[in-house]
């Protein structure tokens, strides 16, 4: 039995989008926002509060995109808002050190044994770009190995068969990246020990670093086996290459020590973003004291930022991370997510639908497949995205906001109440029934 509902009004959003198209390429300031992979005009958001979003047409949604990950505490969190408001009266930027930078660094380093020193930047892209430079500067080698299906931001060296938006658009790399840059980046498949062994044979003593997402979550959720990640740690060490763990999504999502703790490994350089700024633009990279001493002004690897360590952003980060550091925060969120996913899995099993839900921490991903595991990008069938596209429309019509691409994961925040989740489960079940009817 299915319940049909009518399409939500997108009149105002459509008007705004027409205007935006005159100003911005594709009408947006980040490609995936253009809703190219789902139905209809992108929704222009007016405000958010806790787990909810309101668009320009007055439609209300329970949000599972959460600004693509940063909002682990939901929208308009009171403590973060107050910290930001308190800072606003003191000025927006000084281009000089502030105590706030110390406070955020202390909070992070005290709760994260994987890094000894940190440098704040303004985005995840910048964090990863800087980490790559550090690895090259330290090892005096040029080549980087990355994995098909991992996204590390849009710096030149890493826009080589990158995931997320690019896969959605059916491209494998970006125009404008010099071939000479791409030549320094080797792309191999995830979850393939032989490919790793081969690459270290083929490029002996040339590989500065291997970079991997803590848990690949930008092109589906490709949860890697523990023994594979530990093998990756070993083989990089044996070959004098650094291991960069890009924890821009997983950092502060799977606890303060992120996926490094989950896999029980010590990467050489870690990158952060998203949650770290409490919703403000902050990124960071960290490593041992020795490695970080290579960074300017201590060392020869140059990296700087006019707005790096911005006081308002630091205040937001401190407020957010102070809440996350409280005993039991992550356990509770993971339990909530586990129960949510379990309920959906039972429903799917009952109905015999070909859907798998993969999950780790408070991240979940719907895969329209009957495969038990998906650990490599090429195991995702692009044709299956048609199901997601249909489900996405049904969900929006029922007041549930998921990311506008089937390659994107969903997030549960601490602001999602039991009531929100129970209602969402009902709406998801209805939507799936409609997709398969
Ligand atoms: C989002 C993301 C980035 C890029 O961060 P931006 O802040 O968008 O530049 C890099 N790496 C990973 C793993 C990400 O999820």
């Amino acid at each position: 039995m299915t319940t049909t509902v009518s399409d939500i009004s997108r009149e105002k959003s459509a008007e705004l989008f027409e205007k935006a198209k005159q100003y911005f390429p594709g009408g947006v300031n980040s490609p995936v926002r253009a809703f190219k992979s789902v139905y209809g005009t992108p929704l222009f958001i007016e405000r958010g509060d806790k787990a909810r979003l309101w668009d320009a047409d007055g439609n209300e949604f329970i949000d599972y995109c959460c600004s693509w990950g940063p909002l682990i505490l939901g929208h308009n969190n009171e403590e973060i808002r107050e910290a930001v408001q308190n800072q606003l009266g003191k000025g927006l930027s000084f281009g000089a050190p502030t105590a706030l930078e110390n406070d955020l660094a202390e909070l992070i380093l005290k709760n994260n044994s994987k890094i000894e020193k940190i440098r704040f930047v303004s985005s995840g892209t910048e964090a990863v770009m800087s980490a790559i430079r550090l690895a090259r500067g330290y090892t005096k080698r040029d080549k980087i190995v990355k994995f098909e299906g991992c996204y590390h931001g849009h710096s030149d060296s890493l826009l080589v068969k990158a995931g997320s938006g690019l896969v959605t658009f059916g491209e494998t790399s970006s125009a404008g990246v010099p071939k000479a840059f791409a030549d320094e980046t080797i792309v191999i498949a995830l979850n393939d020990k032989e490919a790793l062994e081969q690459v270290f044979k083929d490029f002996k003593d040339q590989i500065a670093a291997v970079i991997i997402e803590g848990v690949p979550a930008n092109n589906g959720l490709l949860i890697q086996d523990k023994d594979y990640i530990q093998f990756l740690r070993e083989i990089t060490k044996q070959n004098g290459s650094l291991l960069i763990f890009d924890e821009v999504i997983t950092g502060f999502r799977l606890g303060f020590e992120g996926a490094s703790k989950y896999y029980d490994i010590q990467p050489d350089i870690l990158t952060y973003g998203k949650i770290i700024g409490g919703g403000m633009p902050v990124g960071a990279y960290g490593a041992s004291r020795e490695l970080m001493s290579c960074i300017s002004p201590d060392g020869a690897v140059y990296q700087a930022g006019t707005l790096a360590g911005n006081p308002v952003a630091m205040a937001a980060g401190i407020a957010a991370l102070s809440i996350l550091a409280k005993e039991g925060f992550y356990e509770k969120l993971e339990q909530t997510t586990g129960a949510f996913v379990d309920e959906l899995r039972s429903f799917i099993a009952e109905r015999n639908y070909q859907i798998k839900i993969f999950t780790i921490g408070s991240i979940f991903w719907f895969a329209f497949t009957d495969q038990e595991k998906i650990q490599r990008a090429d195991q995702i069938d692009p044709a299956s995205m048609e199901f997601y596209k249909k489900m996405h429309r049904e969900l929006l019509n029922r007041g549930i906001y998921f990311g506008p691409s089937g390659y994107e994961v969903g997030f549960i925040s601490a602001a999602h109440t039991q009531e929100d989740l129970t209602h969402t489960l009902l709406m998801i079940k209805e939507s799936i029934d409609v997709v398969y009817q």
Side-chain angles (χ1 to χ4, degrees):
M1 212 194 69
T2 53
T3 319
T4 44
V5 297
S6 49
D7 284 333
I8 49 167
S9 158
R10 302 195 197 192
E11 237 170 86
K12 293 242 168 59
S13 281
E15 248 170 62
L16 289 166
F17 191 46
E18 280 315 304
K19 214 171 184 183
K21 281 197 258 184
Q22 297 170 25
Y23 304 140
F24 314 116
V28 290
N29 287 299
S30 196
V32 75
R33 294 181 197 170
F35 268 43
K36 292 267 188 198
S37 309
V38 290
Y39 290 102
T41 317
L43 303 177
F44 278 60
I45 303 303
E46 238 170 49
R47 72 186 176 94
D49 192 58
K50 302 194 172 67
R52 275 153 212 273
L53 278 179
W54 286 266
D55 71 7
D57 289 281
N59 299 306
E60 180 179 325
F61 304 95
I62 304 177
D63 179 19
Y64 293 87
C65 181
C66 296
S67 190
W68 306 96
L71 305 185
I72 193 169
L73 295 166
H75 298 272
N76 195 21
N77 173 274
E78 196 179 335
E79 279 108 317
I80 301 176
R81 186 180 67 239
E82 278 173 9
V84 167
Q85 281 170 343
N86 185 40
Q87 191 54 37
L88 289 179
K90 300 178 188 170
L92 296 182
S93 177
F94 314 116
T98 64
L100 293 161
E101 291 154 87
N102 288 355
D103 293 347
L104 184 54
E106 190 181 359
L107 184 54
I108 293 168
L109 296 175
K110 210 171 63 187
N111 290 289
N112 184 343
S113 66
K114 306 290 179 188
I115 53 174
E116 292 177 338
K117 273 196 179 181
I118 193 165
R119 169 67 63 87
F120 291 120
V121 294
S122 301
S123 71
T125 295
E126 217 186 327
V128 174
M129 185 182 81
S130 309
I132 297 276
R133 188 178 303 139
L134 170 56
R136 286 173 165 159
Y138 179 80
T139 58
K140 302 191 168 57
R141 298 174 179 182
D142 288 341
K143 296 225 183 299
I144 298 294
V145 176
K146 82 174 281 289
F147 296 92
E148 182 67 34
C150 283
Y151 178 70
H152 302 290
H154 64 88
S155 67
D156 283 347
S157 298
L158 294 162
L159 274 188
V160 183
K161 290 192 187 174
S164 194
L166 288 171
V167 166
T168 300
F169 292 131
E171 294 179 23
T172 52
S173 66
S174 166
V177 175
K179 188 173 179 305
F181 280 46
D183 286 349
E184 302 299 334
T185 306
I186 304 149
V187 183
I188 60 172
L190 284 160
N191 192 41
D192 184 344
K193 290 184 186 173
E194 276 167 30
L196 269 176
E197 279 168 340
Q198 193 60 44
V199 93
F200 276 105
K201 243 182 242 160
D202 292 349
F203 300 96
K204 198 167 169 41
D205 300 332
Q206 296 174 56
I207 298 170
V210 178
I211 182 165
I212 189 167
E213 283 183 63
V215 177
N218 274 287
N219 182 71
L221 184 62
L222 309 174
I223 302 170
Q224 302 297 295
D225 295 330
K226 205 165 181 173
D227 81 301
Y228 172 72
I229 297 296
Q230 291 179 343
F231 176 79
L232 171 61
R233 173 63 285 189
E234 281 313 304
I235 197 167
T236 43
K237 197 177 272 175
Q238 282 159 13
N239 285 278
S241 303
L242 301 186
L243 175 60
I244 304 174
F245 238 44
D246 180 357
E247 300 236 34
V248 171
I249 283 193
T250 46
F252 312 100
R253 171 67 60 180
L254 308 182
F256 269 68
E257 294 185 323
S260 310
K261 175 158 184 183
Y262 175 80
Y263 286 111
D264 192 21
I265 60 149
Q266 174 63 58
D268 297 298
I269 309 175
L270 293 102
T271 57
Y272 299 104
K274 301 201 166 102
I275 290 174
I276 198 173
M280 296 289 283
V282 180
Y285 63 101
S288 64
R289 266 187 209 93
E290 187 208 348
L291 265 167
M292 292 305 276
S293 71
C294 299
I295 301 293
S296 182
D298 282 352
V301 177
Y302 189 72
Q303 185 272 306
T306 301
L307 294 172
N310 174 268
V312 183
M314 293 290 108
I318 295 163
L321 267 46
S322 301
I323 299 170
L324 307 187
K326 285 183 189 152
E327 185 71 36
F329 176 87
Y330 289 103
E331 286 79 356
K332 180 154 184 273
L333 193 54
E334 283 175 28
Q335 271 168 18
T336 304
T337 308
F340 179 82
V341 169
D342 281 349
E343 168 81 25
L344 282 174
R345 282 177 176 161
S346 319
F347 168 77
I348 288 161
E350 226 170 76
R351 293 281 215 275
N352 216 5
Y353 289 142
Q354 278 197 6
I355 307 174
K356 286 280 168 343
I357 302 171
F358 297 100
T359 183
I360 186 165
S362 44
I363 309 174
F364 64 87
W365 179 55
F366 278 73
F368 293 82
T369 180
D370 53 7
Q371 298 172 82
E372 283 306 319
K373 274 187 173 182
I374 297 193
Q375 296 180 302
R376 288 199 326 259
D378 64 2
Q379 291 170 327
I380 304 174
D381 177 9
S384 69
M385 293 301 153
E386 199 53 37
F387 292 104
Y388 184 85
K389 190 175 171 179
K390 287 182 181 150
M391 182 179 78
H392 186 267
R393 176 167 65 186
E394 295 304 323
L395 287 172
L396 279 187
N397 288 343
R398 289 169 175 78
I400 309 296
Y401 191 96
F402 271 34
S405 156
Y407 289 97
E408 303 292 348
V409 296
F411 299 99
I412 290 183
S413 81
H416 286 86
T417 63
Q418 206 47 63
E419 213 183 354
D420 291 334
L421 294 164
T422 306
H423 178 69
T424 302
L425 285 167
L426 210 63
M427 296 302 107
I428 293 177
K429 290 175 187 177
E430 270 189 28
S431 299
I432 293 177
D433 277 342
V434 172
V435 169
Y436 282 95
Q437 80 188 350

